[in-house]
Amino acid sequence: MTRKRRRLVTIGVCGAVLAVALGLVLWAMRGTIVFFRSPSEVAQAVVAPGVRFRLGGLVQEGSVSRGPNETVSFTITDTAAAVPVRYRGLLPDLFREGQGVVTEGVLEPGGVFRADTVLAKHDETYMPREVADALKAQGRWQEGAKEAGKPGEAPQAAPRAASGTDTATR
């Protein structure tokens, strides 16, 4: 076997090993990949019932209703379309009407999104990046008077005063 042929065989074997490794990684991750969808995409039937995904938007004003056994129903909207959501569990403290929220779950055949996770914004300037991008794509994004940076980024923390004592280290 010549040196050139040996080099080609080595490169071919390494390429095959990498392809198999990549295939195994993708096969292992097939059940954990969750895509983000806006209410408009759900209304256009982009998502089939039973598929797990994240739904984000604004909690529609007047849509939150609490039922027995910690069951909460509300509607998520992107101002173009709305999707009813049903969730059983404790909601985050910052969950309220008119605020950004991202939920994770499955769409039921009746068109109701059954969420098993609800993530609320963490301060008054935060909007999940996916929600902000979806609103911008529809031309419905309005920059607020309080801007703390780009949508999806936490505002910068105020610098701490330099002092000789720090209560957190005591």
Side-chain angles (χ1 to χ4, degrees):
M1 202 186 262
T2 65
R3 178 184 268 179
K4 184 177 183 178
R5 178 167 279 218
R6 201 173 343 158
R7 191 178 312 142
L8 287 174
V9 168
T10 303
I11 291 171
V13 168
C14 290
V17 168
L18 285 173
V20 168
L22 179 64
L24 288 173
V25 167
L26 291 175
W27 182 73
M29 289 178 44
R30 75 187 185 287
T32 59
I33 296 174
V34 179
F35 292 102
F36 176 85
R37 303 288 183 203
S38 68
S40 294
E41 291 174 323
V42 175
Q44 295 170 357
V46 173
V47 181
V51 174
R52 186 168 186 77
F53 65 98
R54 287 185 178 171
L55 174 67
L58 302 172
V59 178
Q60 191 170 23
E61 294 287 336
S63 69
V64 177
S65 66
R66 300 181 189 276
N69 299 328
E70 298 176 347
T71 303
V72 180
S73 297
F74 55 95
T75 303
I76 294 180
T77 184
D78 59 1
T79 66
V83 176
V85 178
R86 188 174 65 235
Y87 174 69
R88 184 167 185 238
L90 296 175
L91 290 170
D93 291 337
L94 297 174
F95 177 88
R96 62 182 166 265
E97 295 175 351
Q99 298 297 323
V101 66
V102 175
T103 59
E104 187 173 325
V106 295
L107 187 65
E108 294 178 338
V112 175
F113 186 76
R114 183 175 34 89
D116 53 32
T117 305
V118 174
L119 306 170
K121 67 182 195 67
H122 59 79
D123 69 6
E124 69 275 358
T125 59
Y126 177 76
M127 173 73 67
R129 182 174 303 280
E130 295 90 353
V131 174
D133 291 344
L135 291 173
K136 283 180 183 178
Q138 296 172 6
R140 304 211 186 266
W141 175 258
Q142 296 176 356
E143 296 293 333
K146 290 184 178 180
E147 278 195 50
K150 296 177 184 171
E153 292 180 356
Q156 298 283 330
R160 297 179 99 179
S163 65
T165 60
D166 187 3
T167 56
T169 58
R170 286 187 191 173

